[in-house]
Amino acid sequence: MRFSIYRYNPEVDAKPRMQEYDLDVVEHNCHMVLDALIAIKNHLDDTLSIRRSCREGVCGSDGVNMNGKNGLACTTHLSSLKEPIVIRPLPGLPIVRDLIVDMSQFYAQYEKVQPYLQNTDPVPAKERLQSPEDRAKLDGLYECILCACCSTACPSFWWNPDKFVGPAGLLQSYRFIADSRDTQSKERLADLTDPFSVFRCRGILNCVDVCPKGLNPTKAINHIKELMLKESV
């Protein structure tokens, strides 16, 4: 199979370039895109820089853009892509080297929503109980693996990466707003009323299209808007 891979080392390269590789995927037993990238690095070009860890679609570290669509290299089957397979880093973030991007801005926006349980009630003797019905409200929210595929597919994030929280951050914000054990829902909603939080979402749905876990950040964002409306009435 033929691969065209984005190459750029800011320390030595004047500008990025695309480099082509022909890999025998049968010989190297490659099934997923990550298998091919590892085989290319090990057998064809050891200067290729990639980021990966678990290879199970859990850590989210190997997010890349494949044939124009963001996704995880470890869960994207080679048979699902047409040749040449064009692999680029996630768009909208600074390039560290080749397919590795600087995630600092993404994490900074995620940190803004205070993605942790906050409860001002007295600490119980054992645990904070939650009914099965309330627990079910968190399904489709907590599974986010912070791969940044959604935020880097969002034009609003490209235009304002230093201001817009992004779909990943807003999904996690609603995860705690919807949690019956969290007592800071009103405060969380108040923190999202600025022009670059919830209201910067344009409903393009790119985030839904690329999420490797099948989550729906746009739906969560709409729930936040509904709660804001109820608070204001």
PDB file of all heavy atoms in Angstrom, residues 66-89:
ATOM      1  N   MET A  66      -6.501  11.239   8.672  1.00  0.00           N
ATOM      2  CA  MET A  66      -6.300  10.213   7.648  1.00  0.00           C
ATOM      3  C   MET A  66      -7.259  10.441   6.492  1.00  0.00           C
ATOM      4  O   MET A  66      -8.478  10.421   6.680  1.00  0.00           O
ATOM      5  CB  MET A  66      -6.520   8.818   8.259  1.00  0.00           C
ATOM      6  CG  MET A  66      -5.532   8.480   9.362  1.00  0.00           C
ATOM      7  SD  MET A  66      -6.052   7.099  10.415  1.00  0.00           S
ATOM      8  CE  MET A  66      -7.333   7.906  11.401  1.00  0.00           C
ATOM      9  N   ASN A  67      -6.718  10.712   5.329  1.00  0.00           N
ATOM     10  CA  ASN A  67      -7.529  11.007   4.144  1.00  0.00           C
ATOM     11  C   ASN A  67      -8.557  12.108   4.423  1.00  0.00           C
ATOM     12  O   ASN A  67      -9.702  12.039   4.000  1.00  0.00           O
ATOM     13  CB  ASN A  67      -8.220   9.750   3.617  1.00  0.00           C
ATOM     14  CG  ASN A  67      -7.257   8.822   2.888  1.00  0.00           C
ATOM     15  OD1 ASN A  67      -6.065   9.093   2.816  1.00  0.00           O
ATOM     16  ND2 ASN A  67      -7.766   7.725   2.349  1.00  0.00           N
ATOM     17  N   GLY A  68      -8.121  13.110   5.185  1.00  0.00           N
ATOM     18  CA  GLY A  68      -8.957  14.272   5.431  1.00  0.00           C
ATOM     19  C   GLY A  68      -9.893  14.173   6.615  1.00  0.00           C
ATOM     20  O   GLY A  68     -10.662  15.103   6.861  1.00  0.00           O
ATOM     21  N   LYS A  69      -9.835  13.082   7.377  1.00  0.00           N
ATOM     22  CA  LYS A  69     -10.733  12.914   8.516  1.00  0.00           C
ATOM     23  C   LYS A  69      -9.937  12.513   9.754  1.00  0.00           C
ATOM     24  O   LYS A  69      -9.107  11.611   9.703  1.00  0.00           O
ATOM     25  CB  LYS A  69     -11.794  11.848   8.201  1.00  0.00           C
ATOM     26  CG  LYS A  69     -12.819  11.653   9.308  1.00  0.00           C
ATOM     27  CD  LYS A  69     -13.877  10.627   8.901  1.00  0.00           C
ATOM     28  CE  LYS A  69     -14.904  10.422   9.999  1.00  0.00           C
ATOM     29  NZ  LYS A  69     -15.960   9.446   9.614  1.00  0.00           N
ATOM     30  N   ASN A  70     -10.210  13.186  10.866  1.00  0.00           N
ATOM     31  CA  ASN A  70      -9.538  12.866  12.116  1.00  0.00           C
ATOM     32  C   ASN A  70      -9.987  11.514  12.650  1.00  0.00           C
ATOM     33  O   ASN A  70     -11.137  11.107  12.468  1.00  0.00           O
ATOM     34  CB  ASN A  70      -9.829  13.932  13.172  1.00  0.00           C
ATOM     35  CG  ASN A  70      -9.233  15.277  12.836  1.00  0.00           C
ATOM     36  OD1 ASN A  70      -8.460  15.407  11.888  1.00  0.00           O
ATOM     37  ND2 ASN A  70      -9.581  16.290  13.617  1.00  0.00           N
ATOM     38  N   GLY A  71      -9.083  10.853  13.344  1.00  0.00           N
ATOM     39  CA  GLY A  71      -9.420   9.574  13.963  1.00  0.00           C
ATOM     40  C   GLY A  71      -8.212   8.990  14.664  1.00  0.00           C
ATOM     41  O   GLY A  71      -7.118   9.568  14.651  1.00  0.00           O
ATOM     42  N   LEU A  72      -8.411   7.848  15.294  1.00  0.00           N
ATOM     43  CA  LEU A  72      -7.321   7.143  15.960  1.00  0.00           C
ATOM     44  C   LEU A  72      -6.684   6.166  14.984  1.00  0.00           C
ATOM     45  O   LEU A  72      -7.370   5.339  14.373  1.00  0.00           O
ATOM     46  CB  LEU A  72      -7.828   6.390  17.187  1.00  0.00           C
ATOM     47  CG  LEU A  72      -8.460   7.222  18.307  1.00  0.00           C
ATOM     48  CD1 LEU A  72      -8.856   6.314  19.467  1.00  0.00           C
ATOM     49  CD2 LEU A  72      -7.517   8.315  18.787  1.00  0.00           C
ATOM     50  N   ALA A  73      -5.372   6.235  14.850  1.00  0.00           N
ATOM     51  CA  ALA A  73      -4.668   5.345  13.928  1.00  0.00           C
ATOM     52  C   ALA A  73      -4.803   3.884  14.348  1.00  0.00           C
ATOM     53  O   ALA A  73      -4.822   2.987  13.503  1.00  0.00           O
ATOM     54  CB  ALA A  73      -3.188   5.731  13.862  1.00  0.00           C
ATOM     55  N   CYS A  74      -4.949   3.636  15.646  1.00  0.00           N
ATOM     56  CA  CYS A  74      -4.984   2.249  16.132  1.00  0.00           C
ATOM     57  C   CYS A  74      -6.337   1.582  15.921  1.00  0.00           C
ATOM     58  O   CYS A  74      -6.431   0.348  15.994  1.00  0.00           O
ATOM     59  CB  CYS A  74      -4.607   2.195  17.606  1.00  0.00           C
ATOM     60  SG  CYS A  74      -5.755   3.070  18.698  1.00  0.00           S
ATOM     61  N   THR A  75      -7.379   2.348  15.670  1.00  0.00           N
ATOM     62  CA  THR A  75      -8.707   1.751  15.478  1.00  0.00           C
ATOM     63  C   THR A  75      -9.230   1.954  14.055  1.00  0.00           C
ATOM     64  O   THR A  75     -10.371   1.596  13.772  1.00  0.00           O
ATOM     65  CB  THR A  75      -9.722   2.335  16.480  1.00  0.00           C
ATOM     66  OG1 THR A  75      -9.823   3.755  16.291  1.00  0.00           O
ATOM     67  CG2 THR A  75      -9.303   2.039  17.910  1.00  0.00           C
ATOM     68  N   THR A  76      -8.412   2.523  13.180  1.00  0.00           N
ATOM     69  CA  THR A  76      -8.816   2.738  11.796  1.00  0.00           C
ATOM     70  C   THR A  76      -8.214   1.652  10.915  1.00  0.00           C
ATOM     71  O   THR A  76      -6.985   1.552  10.787  1.00  0.00           O
ATOM     72  CB  THR A  76      -8.368   4.121  11.294  1.00  0.00           C
ATOM     73  OG1 THR A  76      -8.914   5.137  12.146  1.00  0.00           O
ATOM     74  CG2 THR A  76      -8.839   4.357   9.862  1.00  0.00           C
ATOM     75  N   HIS A  77      -9.072   0.834  10.336  1.00  0.00           N
ATOM     76  CA  HIS A  77      -8.606  -0.300   9.525  1.00  0.00           C
ATOM     77  C   HIS A  77      -8.119   0.192   8.168  1.00  0.00           C
ATOM     78  O   HIS A  77      -8.731   1.055   7.541  1.00  0.00           O
ATOM     79  CB  HIS A  77      -9.736  -1.320   9.350  1.00  0.00           C
ATOM     80  CG  HIS A  77      -9.240  -2.707   9.104  1.00  0.00           C
ATOM     81  ND1 HIS A  77      -8.663  -3.098   7.917  1.00  0.00           N
ATOM     82  CD2 HIS A  77      -9.222  -3.810   9.898  1.00  0.00           C
ATOM     83  CE1 HIS A  77      -8.329  -4.373   7.977  1.00  0.00           C
ATOM     84  NE2 HIS A  77      -8.654  -4.817   9.178  1.00  0.00           N
ATOM     85  N   LEU A  78      -7.021  -0.372   7.717  1.00  0.00           N
ATOM     86  CA  LEU A  78      -6.464   0.015   6.428  1.00  0.00           C
ATOM     87  C   LEU A  78      -7.453  -0.198   5.290  1.00  0.00           C
ATOM     88  O   LEU A  78      -7.486   0.570   4.324  1.00  0.00           O
ATOM     89  CB  LEU A  78      -5.180  -0.776   6.150  1.00  0.00           C
ATOM     90  CG  LEU A  78      -3.971  -0.426   7.030  1.00  0.00           C
ATOM     91  CD1 LEU A  78      -2.849  -1.445   6.823  1.00  0.00           C
ATOM     92  CD2 LEU A  78      -3.477   0.979   6.718  1.00  0.00           C
ATOM     93  N   SER A  79      -8.283  -1.228   5.408  1.00  0.00           N
ATOM     94  CA  SER A  79      -9.232  -1.536   4.338  1.00  0.00           C
ATOM     95  C   SER A  79     -10.325  -0.478   4.192  1.00  0.00           C
ATOM     96  O   SER A  79     -11.034  -0.451   3.185  1.00  0.00           O
ATOM     97  CB  SER A  79      -9.874  -2.906   4.587  1.00  0.00           C
ATOM     98  OG  SER A  79     -10.633  -2.897   5.787  1.00  0.00           O
ATOM     99  N   SER A  80     -10.462   0.382   5.194  1.00  0.00           N
ATOM    100  CA  SER A  80     -11.504   1.409   5.145  1.00  0.00           C
ATOM    101  C   SER A  80     -11.036   2.678   4.429  1.00  0.00           C
ATOM    102  O   SER A  80     -11.821   3.607   4.245  1.00  0.00           O
ATOM    103  CB  SER A  80     -11.952   1.776   6.563  1.00  0.00           C
ATOM    104  OG  SER A  80     -10.907   2.441   7.281  1.00  0.00           O
ATOM    105  N   LEU A  81      -9.783   2.712   4.020  1.00  0.00           N
ATOM    106  CA  LEU A  81      -9.200   3.899   3.407  1.00  0.00           C
ATOM    107  C   LEU A  81      -8.752   3.621   1.974  1.00  0.00           C
ATOM    108  O   LEU A  81      -8.264   2.536   1.664  1.00  0.00           O
ATOM    109  CB  LEU A  81      -8.003   4.395   4.232  1.00  0.00           C
ATOM    110  CG  LEU A  81      -8.287   4.764   5.689  1.00  0.00           C
ATOM    111  CD1 LEU A  81      -6.981   5.054   6.419  1.00  0.00           C
ATOM    112  CD2 LEU A  81      -9.213   5.973   5.773  1.00  0.00           C
ATOM    113  N   LYS A  82      -8.900   4.616   1.124  1.00  0.00           N
ATOM    114  CA  LYS A  82      -8.459   4.502  -0.260  1.00  0.00           C
ATOM    115  C   LYS A  82      -7.008   4.951  -0.384  1.00  0.00           C
ATOM    116  O   LYS A  82      -6.551   5.859   0.305  1.00  0.00           O
ATOM    117  CB  LYS A  82      -9.340   5.353  -1.177  1.00  0.00           C
ATOM    118  CG  LYS A  82     -10.788   4.872  -1.273  1.00  0.00           C
ATOM    119  CD  LYS A  82     -11.589   5.740  -2.242  1.00  0.00           C
ATOM    120  CE  LYS A  82     -13.027   5.242  -2.367  1.00  0.00           C
ATOM    121  NZ  LYS A  82     -13.815   6.083  -3.325  1.00  0.00           N
ATOM    122  N   GLU A  83      -6.279   4.305  -1.309  1.00  0.00           N
ATOM    123  CA  GLU A  83      -4.894   4.693  -1.549  1.00  0.00           C
ATOM    124  C   GLU A  83      -4.819   5.867  -2.518  1.00  0.00           C
ATOM    125  O   GLU A  83      -5.692   6.014  -3.381  1.00  0.00           O
ATOM    126  CB  GLU A  83      -4.120   3.512  -2.127  1.00  0.00           C
ATOM    127  CG  GLU A  83      -3.922   2.354  -1.160  1.00  0.00           C
ATOM    128  CD  GLU A  83      -3.023   1.276  -1.757  1.00  0.00           C
ATOM    129  OE1 GLU A  83      -1.838   1.582  -2.051  1.00  0.00           O
ATOM    130  OE2 GLU A  83      -3.508   0.155  -1.964  1.00  0.00           O
ATOM    131  N   PRO A  84      -3.748   6.666  -2.403  1.00  0.00           N
ATOM    132  CA  PRO A  84      -2.759   6.612  -1.338  1.00  0.00           C
ATOM    133  C   PRO A  84      -3.351   7.113  -0.023  1.00  0.00           C
ATOM    134  O   PRO A  84      -4.157   8.059  -0.025  1.00  0.00           O
ATOM    135  CB  PRO A  84      -1.659   7.548  -1.839  1.00  0.00           C
ATOM    136  CG  PRO A  84      -2.384   8.554  -2.684  1.00  0.00           C
ATOM    137  CD  PRO A  84      -3.485   7.775  -3.355  1.00  0.00           C
ATOM    138  N   ILE A  85      -2.965   6.499   1.060  1.00  0.00           N
ATOM    139  CA  ILE A  85      -3.467   6.910   2.365  1.00  0.00           C
ATOM    140  C   ILE A  85      -2.659   8.121   2.825  1.00  0.00           C
ATOM    141  O   ILE A  85      -1.459   8.026   3.083  1.00  0.00           O
ATOM    142  CB  ILE A  85      -3.364   5.759   3.383  1.00  0.00           C
ATOM    143  CG1 ILE A  85      -4.225   4.580   2.923  1.00  0.00           C
ATOM    144  CG2 ILE A  85      -3.800   6.232   4.765  1.00  0.00           C
ATOM    145  CD1 ILE A  85      -4.136   3.354   3.815  1.00  0.00           C
ATOM    146  N   VAL A  86      -3.327   9.267   2.881  1.00  0.00           N
ATOM    147  CA  VAL A  86      -2.669  10.520   3.250  1.00  0.00           C
ATOM    148  C   VAL A  86      -2.831  10.745   4.753  1.00  0.00           C
ATOM    149  O   VAL A  86      -3.955  10.842   5.255  1.00  0.00           O
ATOM    150  CB  VAL A  86      -3.263  11.704   2.461  1.00  0.00           C
ATOM    151  CG1 VAL A  86      -2.560  12.998   2.851  1.00  0.00           C
ATOM    152  CG2 VAL A  86      -3.143  11.462   0.964  1.00  0.00           C
ATOM    153  N   ILE A  87      -1.712  10.822   5.442  1.00  0.00           N
ATOM    154  CA  ILE A  87      -1.732  10.950   6.905  1.00  0.00           C
ATOM    155  C   ILE A  87      -1.068  12.261   7.304  1.00  0.00           C
ATOM    156  O   ILE A  87       0.092  12.513   6.982  1.00  0.00           O
ATOM    157  CB  ILE A  87      -1.033   9.764   7.585  1.00  0.00           C
ATOM    158  CG1 ILE A  87      -1.654   8.439   7.120  1.00  0.00           C
ATOM    159  CG2 ILE A  87      -1.125   9.889   9.105  1.00  0.00           C
ATOM    160  CD1 ILE A  87      -0.974   7.211   7.685  1.00  0.00           C
ATOM    161  N   ARG A  88      -1.822  13.081   8.005  1.00  0.00           N
ATOM    162  CA  ARG A  88      -1.341  14.371   8.480  1.00  0.00           C
ATOM    163  C   ARG A  88      -1.581  14.478   9.993  1.00  0.00           C
ATOM    164  O   ARG A  88      -2.392  13.736  10.547  1.00  0.00           O
ATOM    165  CB  ARG A  88      -2.072  15.517   7.776  1.00  0.00           C
ATOM    166  CG  ARG A  88      -1.903  15.546   6.249  1.00  0.00           C
ATOM    167  CD  ARG A  88      -2.788  16.630   5.634  1.00  0.00           C
ATOM    168  NE  ARG A  88      -2.663  16.687   4.188  1.00  0.00           N
ATOM    169  CZ  ARG A  88      -1.793  17.447   3.537  1.00  0.00           C
ATOM    170  NH1 ARG A  88      -0.962  18.212   4.239  1.00  0.00           N
ATOM    171  NH2 ARG A  88      -1.734  17.449   2.226  1.00  0.00           N
ATOM    172  N   PRO A  89      -0.912  15.401  10.661  1.00  0.00           N
ATOM    173  CA  PRO A  89      -1.191  15.624  12.086  1.00  0.00           C
ATOM    174  C   PRO A  89      -2.581  16.228  12.260  1.00  0.00           C
ATOM    175  O   PRO A  89      -3.176  16.742  11.306  1.00  0.00           O
ATOM    176  CB  PRO A  89      -0.096  16.597  12.516  1.00  0.00           C
ATOM    177  CG  PRO A  89       0.316  17.280  11.256  1.00  0.00           C
ATOM    178  CD  PRO A  89       0.164  16.275  10.163  1.00  0.00           C
TER     179      PRO A  89
END
